[in-house]
Amino acid sequence: MTLSAISEPAFSKSKRPVVAVIGGGVSGAATAFHLAQASQSPMPEIIVFEPREGLGRGLAYDTAEPAHRINVPAARMSLLTDEPDHFLRWIEEQAATSGDADALRPDGNLFPRRSVFGDYVNAMLQPLVASGAVLHSRSAVAHLLREGQRWCLIGDDGARTMADIVVIATSHPPPVAPGQLQALLKGHPRFVPDPTRAGALEAIRPSDRVLVVGNGLTSADVIASLALRGHKGPITAISRRGLRSRGHALVPQDPAGDFLTNPAFTARALLKNIRGTIRQATADGLTWHGVIDQVRAQGQALWQVLPLVERQRIVRHLRPYWDVHRFRVAPQVEAALDEAIAEGRLEILAGSIAASHVENDAVHCRLRLRRSHETVDKIYDAVVVTTGPGHGGILASQPFLAELSESGYLELDPTGLGLFCTRNSEAIGPAAGVSPSLLIAGPLARGTFGELMGLPQVTEHAAFVASVVAGRLQAQAPKAAQNRL
């Protein structure tokens, strides 16, 4: 059942407990899905607040750009934690890649467009929505207030919903342009501060000189999208370290190494273990890919044993290197970047923007190269910001998050990666302490859980959060029933 407005009387007087999930991307949709599958009595009312028409697409998979592809093989993506190939089987059953001849790679792996995975998650949720097991409210949450023992959610349409448990499953804020670039280029016809918005690249003309600020997955998507649109102008992609996202191994490899039997307790020791294992893999005729896959698979357990100060060191010093190896580009995207470099249309620089000004819509930039006093003067017609999520702005990114912060229910995780929460995903605030009825699902819990930015970790964490919620409801059932009398 999709609801354009959910009013207070519909749920505040319900005899069943109410669980509100804020955000209907993969994390929120997966949490609702697994909670609806849980065998419990009484079954809760599950409401997902998501303005988009469908559930499961979120920011990552709500894209019509044909160049945007999943960056891991379809055989390793699934909403079902015990059926890792479920998405692949769904694709085959639905012929979901029909007409996309480039989706199937020579090695047999399938890399469909990202929208296909969004369609898959939405298709998995729709039977639950149709039956009423999951309710979809298409309003955004404007306010979230504590009222007695319950939470009051007020939508942007003014409707009020009372809930016993709330799961925050929103995404990170959009990227932030460095320095004065945002203020300088505000209103410029070809300044793209957030390339994830639909149609964001349409203003860029085929021969435009383009500056891409950032070198991660989003940068790769932008360059591949421009190429598919017929763009032939020069592109500069600049980041502090000039690290380009890596591609997949030419031959699939199993995860290699063991980082848990004798775990590292410092960032330096962990890095030494990883490098040593990569050297052994090289001697065995393999590449680094399987080693990084093993670190990723064991990542949450590795993160838990590291002291906070060592986690912070990893975020400060090693995260950029981890990101470019862990977040690999799809082969189709890698090919687009390789072609652009080979043709001399793309240069990747390590450095920063030292100064900039605008003359007749042309953006004049002085680029300072890394570890050098040398500067390079360039002129661009368009600037695209792909610096990654603005982690520091999480609490200010939405009004209800800011309110929860001001009232002491939320604070940033000390690693700076997300919201502070317990190992049960319960929010921790400076005034409220641990809030058992306020949980964090998905990438915003990354500071506590470590590896939480891709599948299967996201769906595994969603299933975990759903199990925590189910257990909490079971324990609170008698008391909740009495409070509603």
Side-chain angles (χ1 to χ4, degrees):
M1 182 184 302
T2 301
L3 307 177
S4 58
I6 297 177
S7 60
E8 181 181 352
F11 294 101
S12 62
K13 296 180 181 179
S14 172
K15 294 182 179 180
R16 292 193 287 157
V18 178
V19 178
V21 180
I22 305 176
V26 173
S27 297
T31 300
F33 176 86
H34 287 288
L35 184 59
Q37 305 297 319
S39 177
Q40 54 186 310
S41 180
M43 281 296 295
E45 303 248 13
I46 305 169
I47 311 169
V48 181
F49 288 83
E50 172 54 59
R52 292 177 176 87
E53 182 178 356
L55 295 176
R57 294 189 175 94
L59 184 63
Y61 303 103
D62 185 23
T63 171
E65 282 285 347
H68 290 178
R69 294 185 178 272
I70 63 173
N71 62 320
V72 297
R76 289 162 48 190
M77 297 182 70
S78 175
L79 192 62
L80 308 181
T81 55
D82 56 348
E83 296 183 47
D85 64 343
H86 189 263
F87 175 44
L88 183 62
R89 290 190 280 114
W90 181 87
I91 291 174
E92 294 170 350
E93 293 167 0
Q94 303 295 320
T97 55
S98 176
D100 181 14
D102 203 30
L104 185 64
R105 307 309 299 165
D107 63 1
N109 279 318
L110 197 67
F111 288 85
R113 294 178 176 126
R114 286 214 301 263
S115 59
V116 175
F117 187 75
D119 292 342
Y120 157 73
V121 179
N122 184 53
M124 294 289 287
L125 266 293
Q126 283 313 302
L128 298 174
V129 174
S131 70
V134 173
L135 304 173
H136 178 193
S137 170
R138 291 193 61 187
S139 63
V141 173
H143 306 282
L144 178 57
L145 311 170
R146 189 67 168 164
E147 292 191 0
Q149 298 301 308
R150 307 184 80 196
W151 295 95
C152 177
L153 299 93
I154 304 176
D156 55 2
D157 56 1
R160 293 164 59 90
T161 302
M162 300 302 297
D164 298 277
I165 293 179
V166 173
V167 178
I168 298 175
T170 53
S171 61
H172 284 105
V176 178
Q180 301 300 314
L181 207 59
Q182 188 87 22
L184 175 71
L185 298 180
K186 184 178 180 181
H188 189 283
R190 285 171 296 282
F191 175 51
V192 184
D194 182 6
T196 63
R197 289 187 299 103
L201 303 180
E202 290 178 357
I204 299 179
R205 300 163 299 193
S207 60
D208 278 345
R209 299 159 292 184
V210 179
L211 173 64
V212 179
V213 185
N215 263 325
L217 284 180
T218 305
S219 169
D221 281 343
V222 165
I223 295 165
S225 294
L226 289 175
L228 203 60
R229 291 167 176 265
H231 179 265
K232 295 297 182 182
I235 301 174
T236 301
I238 189 169
S239 63
R240 283 183 294 174
R241 295 173 177 82
L243 299 173
R244 170 187 164 183
S245 290
R246 307 300 200 269
H248 292 265
L250 296 178
V251 178
Q253 301 174 26
D254 292 329
D258 176 13
F259 301 95
L260 290 180
T261 301
N262 294 299
F265 294 97
T266 67
R268 186 184 296 273
L270 179 58
L271 180 61
K272 181 180 178 181
N273 289 350
I274 294 172
R275 285 175 169 170
T277 308
I278 290 176
R279 284 195 295 270
Q280 182 59 54
T282 303
D284 295 338
L286 302 172
T287 64
W288 53 265
H289 297 80
V291 177
I292 297 300
D293 287 343
Q294 184 73 312
V295 177
R296 178 181 173 184
Q298 299 178 344
Q300 292 192 17
L302 289 169
W303 193 253
Q304 301 299 335
V305 302
L306 287 168
L308 174 59
V309 66
E310 297 301 323
R311 298 183 190 183
Q312 292 170 328
R313 285 195 177 102
I314 288 176
V315 172
R316 276 198 312 271
H317 303 296
L318 299 180
R319 179 182 154 211
Y321 300 95
W322 166 252
D323 285 351
V324 298
H325 289 85
R326 178 256 181 269
F327 297 110
R328 298 166 205 165
V329 292
Q332 302 93 325
V333 175
E334 184 181 24
L337 268 64
D338 288 343
E339 181 178 350
I341 292 172
E343 293 178 353
R345 293 186 291 108
L346 171 63
E347 63 174 348
I348 297 176
L349 299 179
S352 59
I353 301 172
S356 57
H357 67 278
V358 178
E359 293 181 15
N360 299 322
D361 282 347
V363 183
H364 295 248
C365 291
R366 176 157 293 174
L367 309 179
R368 180 181 292 112
L369 302 184
R370 180 176 169 84
R371 293 178 178 172
S372 170
H373 296 296
E374 182 182 355
T375 60
V376 179
D377 291 327
K378 297 269 191 177
I379 301 176
Y380 300 101
D381 304 296
V383 177
V384 185
V385 179
T386 66
T387 51
H391 293 96
I394 292 171
L395 292 173
S397 64
Q398 299 192 56
F400 81 90
L401 293 176
E403 289 176 346
L404 288 174
S405 173
E406 292 170 3
S407 57
Y409 284 99
L410 289 180
E411 63 181 318
L412 291 177
D413 182 90
T415 63
L417 291 177
L419 298 177
F420 200 18
C421 63
T422 69
R423 293 188 183 182
N424 277 331
S425 252
E426 305 151 314
I428 302 175
V434 176
S435 294
S437 60
L438 182 64
L439 291 93
I440 314 297
L444 289 185
R446 188 182 180 192
T448 295
F449 292 91
E451 180 53 44
L452 252 184
M453 289 292 285
L455 280 81
Q457 284 76 28
V458 165
T459 50
E460 290 171 351
H461 186 250
F464 168 73
V465 171
S467 70
V468 171
V469 172
R472 194 132 301 156
L473 291 174
Q474 195 70 29
Q476 295 177 351
K479 182 178 179 181
Q482 185 175 9
N483 289 340
R484 287 186 174 84
L485 294 177

